[in-house]
Amino acid sequence: MKEFPTADAALEGVTDGMSIMAGGFVSAGSPTNLIRALVRRGTRGLTAIANNIGLGDELDSLAEHGQLAKMITTFAIRASGSRTTHFERQWRAGAVALELVPQGTLAERIRAGGAGIPAFWSPVGPDTVAAEGKETRLFGGRPHVLEHALTADVALIRAQRADERGNLVYRGAGRNFNVPMATAARLVIAEVEEIVPTGSLDPEHIVTPGIYVDRLVRCPAVPVRWQG
Amino acid sequence: MKEFPTADAALEGVTDGMSIMAGGFVSAGSPTNLIRALVRRGTRGLTAIANNIGLGDELDSLAEHGQLAKMITTFAIRASGSRTTHFERQWRAGAVALELVPQGTLAERIRAGGAGIPAFWSPVGPDTVAAEGKETRLFGGRPHVLEHALTADVALIRAQRADERGNLVYRGAGRNFNVPMATAARLVIAEVEEIVPTGSLDPEHIVTPGIYVDRLVRCPAVPVRWQG
Amino acid sequence: MPLTRELIAMRAARELAPGMVVNLGIGLPTLVASYAPEGVLFQAENGILGYGGVLEDDALFDPDMINAGGQPVATVPGASFFSSDASFAMIRGGHIDVAILGGLQVSVTGDLANWMVPARGGGSIGGAMDLATGARRLIVLMEHVTKTGEGRILPECTYPLTGKGCVNLIVTDLAVLEVTAAGLALREIAPDITVAEVLRATSAPLLVPAQVPLMEL
Amino acid sequence: MPLTRELIAMRAARELAPGMVVNLGIGLPTLVASYAPEGVLFQAENGILGYGGVLEDDALFDPDMINAGGQPVATVPGASFFSSDASFAMIRGGHIDVAILGGLQVSVTGDLANWMVPARGGGSIGGAMDLATGARRLIVLMEHVTKTGEGRILPECTYPLTGKGCVNLIVTDLAVLEVTAAGLALREIAPDITVAEVLRATSAPLLVPAQVPLMEL
């Protein structure tokens, strides 16, 4: 049985300086309970990989508490400066590094990390800053950028339901980055709404096979709203 | 409505010299009705892309009738020569070309074709004939092979059930190559056991979104057994 | 009067036809879902194919049923859900007919800048670069000039690019413009707007036909 | 007496422990499923995680429920199905603990040849190269010599390679051998087989300890 009693207990072994993937897209499928536990844990010097770190995003609490060394993300700094995040202030102060990645490239780099593909050629981003410092090559006459796989020490993900083997099903737009991240980290911790006996999920409906999931913790959903 | 009355009608516009992907893994999820219709159609000079062309495989009928110019596959010629396929005889006679590909590389090349990735670096096959004539490069100190995406003019696939928009669900091991092939061909023709009204498939359970499927035809499964 | 945001969205929706697969960017483009003809299938890059307009009733907010802008939406019959890697395989692989994105600047050759204001730095790329690359047709919606009156349609973008030569059509509060091989062509003007006003607001050369039709909304 | 195929499979099954994710190649390795301890999860590269031994009753044949060898199997509780691209992402990505493959030749440094007999040509790679690359541990099952008495364990493979230095353990009808940094080591011999017989049947230098234990089955 992979179940842990609390989100805090499920983070056992997560230490300073680790790279941490966090699934979720704004409010959908966000592992808010695990991120809050990581804030409580006080682990520092983290490289976080997640789609967004905006106003209202729980990840911004990691910035607030100075736990982040680097952020790899697609939504970082709002075009409007009317309200700012802790992350933005940290970044302006030079306290945290930022690697901004096109969203599809981020998803594909994570999938590649889980699929044993060290690098791939992407049509996205030539002639932009996303290609800066990267190798480019023509395929079919169009420029492409060499993108490298992303893996992490830990992935924090959220699913709707697990069985005791860790097989996961999601809900609505809750799959997003949770699915590829489950394949790309050495330690995968999933918070779920409920855990059902093995065999009660239809094998046709399982989205993440249980072999990808190391730890489970039951937590109610925390509906967080993004503010941009 | 994308439904066609017969497999033969669904092949409208399939012409000599085209590249044709055929899903299925041995008996599982094989589009046997569509392949039989292609045999009846008599289309020639085809490049076929499929996991296997062995004894008992319906694709071997295309070889029998001299319709194949080239085969891209993972199971081609049995190690034992006790029984031979039409394909083997055609190949020995120099009448058909063979590109033998590791199975995971074949699946990934097709996925890449559907995903807009022209090429990727694979750890599979260096030091083997699978790497012959291909660019290699070290990642993490290990040699990797540059593999190129595969696309086709037509994909013939089989699913268990479709809705009227072409959303597909499969059965058991029937997903195999059908799923990536549905994304990688200009014209995707799916034979299915049944077509249900749009809205009767749970959005959480759909494996192939209907935008990938151009044509549907209802056909009973034809259980073909592989013989090696 | 320049068009309201709703009217810009309404005009953009006229570019859509049943059966099309359409991705809407965050902000102004999101409004298009409410005006599109029946049978258009909207894709949200966070993993939904087949959703409708933004739900106005906040009580209906479901954290797992949101569009790419984080706004609550509902699915239509025939919808499906998938992961981000599958979603961008769909986008990058050329399976989206039309993407409608917001813009900060567009060049006469169809370059788009929409993810960063240099004075602010940092930026948020989101799915814009992937959509600019993968969608078969790219429509940009934006106000013709900035709040401080600076042109957004330029000989060259001065902001960091989202993509080069990717824009096909621009719908603004003043006009509809098409990127053609010969240059940027004025196709329609908003009601109550003159060609001269459009030219004044455009900091780049435009191809202007003898007769410029009014936008139909 | 050399071991039967069933006994080779039985010995190989002793390498497995509950919780392991294991892929079985076509042919001889398929038999291992019937002898494995409870809780081993078998992955079939055609898209099943969690299946059991081959069903003997032909009436139970279901074309969509087959292992990679095309043989009928049934799933266990907690099983899941997926596509070939997802299956090989699992394999290539290092998520398979053990692969057990058939072999034609293995070299003393762990090179494997198992997909083509040069005299026949053509060949069938299947998933062997992917498994040889991606599995964390690779066990090869084969008869120690060919039907015509030629050695299959060689200083260098003469057949086209499946992978270089990929084999960890070899289980044959005569012995168990381990590929080590120092060379190929004889670990166990089959009951009723002598070390001298193994050495005679092995066309390559072996590291032989003073005492060679008997295989436990």
Side-chain angles (χ1 to χ4, degrees):
Chain A
M1 184 56 168
K2 302 170 170 181
E3 187 175 354
F4 280 64
T6 63
D8 302 84
L11 293 185
E12 188 194 318
V14 177
T15 54
D16 289 359
M18 279 189 168
S19 53
I20 313 266
M21 290 177 171
F25 186 107
V26 187
S27 62
S30 288
T32 307
N33 295 283
L34 288 169
I35 296 169
R36 287 183 179 174
L38 187 58
V39 171
R40 286 193 294 272
R41 193 173 174 83
T43 320
R44 300 176 70 84
L46 300 173
T47 293
I49 303 166
N51 178 64
N52 46 281
I53 183 162
L55 279 167
D57 284 343
E58 202 62 30
L59 271 184
D60 198 35
S61 305
L62 288 172
E64 180 181 5
H65 294 88
Q67 293 173 266
L68 292 183
K70 183 179 180 183
M71 187 75 215
I72 304 176
T73 190
T74 89
F75 287 103
I77 308 290
R78 290 159 47 92
S80 148
S82 57
R83 292 168 302 164
T84 56
T85 58
H86 298 290
F87 174 75
E88 178 174 343
R89 287 191 287 275
Q90 289 268 311
W91 174 72
R92 292 200 188 282
V96 58
L98 168 62
E99 179 181 343
L100 200 61
V101 183
Q103 194 172 122
T105 299
L106 183 65
E108 187 70 11
R109 287 175 64 191
I110 295 166
R111 179 198 178 268
I117 305 286
F120 57 91
W121 291 97
S122 170
V124 176
D127 309 309
T128 76
V129 296
E132 269 173 22
K134 294 178 184 168
E135 195 178 334
T136 60
R137 186 187 288 198
L138 293 180
F139 289 90
R142 288 173 66 194
H144 287 71
V145 183
L146 185 65
E147 296 287 357
H148 290 262
L150 271 176
T151 58
D153 295 312
V154 180
L156 308 180
I157 66 171
R158 181 172 178 88
Q160 166 74 359
R161 192 175 295 117
D163 70 15
E164 291 162 340
R165 278 187 185 271
N167 289 303
L168 302 181
V169 295
Y170 301 82
R171 184 166 170 280
R175 301 188 191 189
N176 55 66
F177 284 85
N178 290 302
V179 175
M181 284 176 176
T183 71
R186 272 171 292 283
L187 174 66
V188 176
I189 310 171
E191 58 164 85
V192 297
E193 193 76 20
E194 58 173 330
I195 300 177
V196 298
T198 297
S200 32
L201 296 179
D202 187 331
E204 303 282 1
H205 301 162
I206 290 168
V207 176
T208 294
I211 62 166
Y212 288 117
V213 180
D214 300 296
R215 299 178 184 176
L216 291 172
V217 58
R218 263 180 292 193
C219 302
V222 181
V224 173
R225 284 196 86 157
W226 200 45
Q227 298 151 49
Chain B
M1 182 58 168
K2 301 170 171 180
E3 188 176 354
F4 281 63
T6 64
D8 300 84
L11 293 185
E12 189 194 317
V14 177
T15 55
D16 289 359
M18 279 187 168
S19 53
I20 313 266
M21 291 177 171
F25 187 107
V26 186
S27 63
S30 288
T32 307
N33 295 282
L34 288 168
I35 296 169
R36 287 183 179 173
L38 188 58
V39 171
R40 285 193 294 273
R41 191 173 175 87
T43 320
R44 299 176 71 84
L46 300 173
T47 294
I49 303 165
N51 179 63
N52 46 281
I53 182 162
L55 280 167
D57 284 344
E58 202 62 31
L59 271 184
D60 198 35
S61 306
L62 287 172
E64 180 180 6
H65 294 87
Q67 294 173 264
L68 291 184
K70 183 177 179 184
M71 187 75 215
I72 303 176
T73 190
T74 90
F75 287 103
I77 309 291
R78 290 159 47 91
S80 148
S82 56
R83 292 167 302 162
T84 55
T85 58
H86 298 290
F87 174 75
E88 179 174 343
R89 287 192 287 276
Q90 289 267 312
W91 174 71
R92 293 200 186 284
V96 59
L98 169 62
E99 180 180 342
L100 201 60
V101 183
Q103 193 171 123
T105 299
L106 183 65
E108 188 70 11
R109 287 176 64 192
I110 295 166
R111 179 198 177 270
I117 305 286
F120 58 91
W121 291 98
S122 170
V124 177
D127 310 309
T128 76
V129 298
E132 271 175 19
K134 294 178 184 169
E135 195 176 335
T136 60
R137 186 186 289 197
L138 293 180
F139 289 91
R142 289 173 66 196
H144 287 69
V145 183
L146 185 65
E147 296 287 357
H148 289 264
L150 270 176
T151 57
D153 295 313
V154 180
L156 308 179
I157 67 170
R158 180 172 179 86
Q160 167 74 358
R161 192 174 295 118
D163 70 14
E164 292 162 340
R165 278 187 187 270
N167 288 304
L168 301 181
V169 294
Y170 301 82
R171 184 166 169 280
R175 300 187 192 190
N176 56 65
F177 283 86
N178 291 303
V179 174
M181 285 178 176
T183 71
R186 271 170 293 284
L187 174 66
V188 176
I189 310 172
E191 59 165 86
V192 297
E193 194 76 21
E194 59 172 330
I195 301 177
V196 298
T198 298
S200 32
L201 296 179
D202 187 331
E204 302 283 1
H205 301 162
I206 289 168
V207 177
T208 294
I211 61 165
Y212 287 118
V213 180
D214 299 296
R215 299 178 183 176
L216 291 172
V217 58
R218 265 181 290 192
C219 302
V222 181
V224 173
R225 283 197 86 157
W226 200 45
Q227 298 151 48
Chain C
M1 280 287 289
L3 299 183
T4 61
R5 290 163 60 86
E6 283 70 22
L7 288 173
I8 295 174
M10 204 180 286
R11 173 59 190 84
R14 290 181 59 88
E15 298 294 314
L16 309 181
M20 282 185 178
V21 181
V22 178
N23 183 293
L24 303 176
I26 295 179
L28 175 43
T30 302
L31 302 175
V32 174
S34 306
Y35 303 112
E38 184 118 3
V40 170
L41 213 55
F42 288 103
Q43 196 251 21
E45 62 264 34
N46 50 327
I48 311 182
L49 183 66
Y51 71 93
V54 174
L55 305 180
E56 297 298 337
D57 184 353
D58 228 44
L60 297 177
F61 177 70
D62 173 337
D64 290 329
M65 299 292 176
I66 56 169
N67 65 16
Q71 300 164 301
V73 294
T75 55
V76 300
S80 54
F81 300 117
F82 34 80
S83 60
S84 295
D85 52 318
S87 184
F88 283 94
M90 194 179 274
I91 291 168
R92 197 189 309 103
H95 308 286
I96 305 293
D97 295 309
V98 182
I100 304 182
L101 299 181
L104 294 171
Q105 299 181 331
V106 179
S107 83
V108 290
T109 55
D111 297 352
L112 171 65
N114 81 343
W115 65 272
M116 193 236 263
V117 179
R120 293 263 308 141
S124 287
I125 297 178
M129 284 190 187
D130 311 277
L131 286 159
T133 305
R136 293 189 195 138
R137 185 159 189 252
L138 178 59
I139 302 174
V140 170
L141 311 189
M142 61 184 186
E143 272 90 37
H144 212 97
V145 299
T146 67
K147 278 175 193 144
T148 52
E150 288 157 281
R152 293 180 182 278
I153 297 169
L154 306 166
E156 294 280 345
C157 294
T158 59
Y159 288 5
L161 289 189
T162 305
K164 220 174 159 58
C166 54
V167 179
N168 299 102
L169 198 77
I170 312 167
V171 181
T172 76
D173 50 348
L174 302 185
V176 176
L177 306 107
E178 187 181 358
V179 179
T180 73
L184 189 61
L186 181 61
R187 287 288 182 239
E188 300 172 18
I189 52 174
D192 309 323
I193 297 292
T194 65
V195 170
E197 284 173 301
V198 173
L199 290 174
R200 254 199 315 275
T202 307
S203 321
L206 284 191
L207 303 172
V208 182
Q211 283 292 331
V212 184
L214 283 191
M215 275 191 206
E216 283 184 47
L217 296 168
Chain D
M1 283 284 293
L3 298 184
T4 61
R5 289 162 60 84
E6 283 69 22
L7 289 173
I8 296 174
M10 204 178 287
R11 172 60 189 84
R14 290 181 60 88
E15 298 294 316
L16 307 181
M20 283 185 178
V21 182
V22 179
N23 182 294
L24 303 176
I26 295 180
L28 176 43
T30 302
L31 302 175
V32 174
S34 306
Y35 304 111
E38 184 116 4
V40 171
L41 212 56
F42 289 103
Q43 196 252 21
E45 62 263 35
N46 51 326
I48 310 182
L49 183 67
Y51 70 94
V54 174
L55 305 180
E56 297 298 337
D57 184 353
D58 229 43
L60 296 177
F61 178 70
D62 173 338
D64 290 329
M65 298 293 175
I66 56 169
N67 66 16
Q71 299 165 301
V73 294
T75 55
V76 301
S80 54
F81 300 118
F82 34 81
S83 60
S84 295
D85 51 318
S87 183
F88 282 94
M90 194 179 275
I91 291 168
R92 197 190 310 103
H95 309 285
I96 304 293
D97 295 308
V98 182
I100 305 183
L101 299 180
L104 295 170
Q105 300 180 329
V106 179
S107 82
V108 291
T109 55
D111 297 352
L112 171 64
N114 81 342
W115 65 274
M116 193 236 263
V117 180
R120 293 263 307 142
S124 287
I125 297 177
M129 284 189 188
D130 311 279
L131 286 159
T133 305
R136 291 190 197 138
R137 184 160 190 251
L138 179 58
I139 302 174
V140 170
L141 311 189
M142 61 184 185
E143 272 89 37
H144 212 97
V145 299
T146 68
K147 278 173 194 147
T148 54
E150 288 158 281
R152 292 179 182 279
I153 297 170
L154 306 165
E156 293 280 345
C157 295
T158 60
Y159 288 5
L161 289 190
T162 305
K164 219 172 160 60
C166 54
V167 178
N168 300 102
L169 198 76
I170 312 168
V171 181
T172 76
D173 50 350
L174 303 184
V176 175
L177 305 108
E178 187 180 358
V179 179
T180 73
L184 189 61
L186 181 61
R187 289 288 183 235
E188 300 171 19
I189 53 173
D192 309 323
I193 297 291
T194 65
V195 170
E197 285 173 301
V198 173
L199 289 174
R200 255 198 316 276
T202 308
S203 321
L206 285 191
L207 304 172
V208 182
Q211 282 292 330
V212 184
L214 283 191
M215 275 191 206
E216 282 184 48
L217 297 167

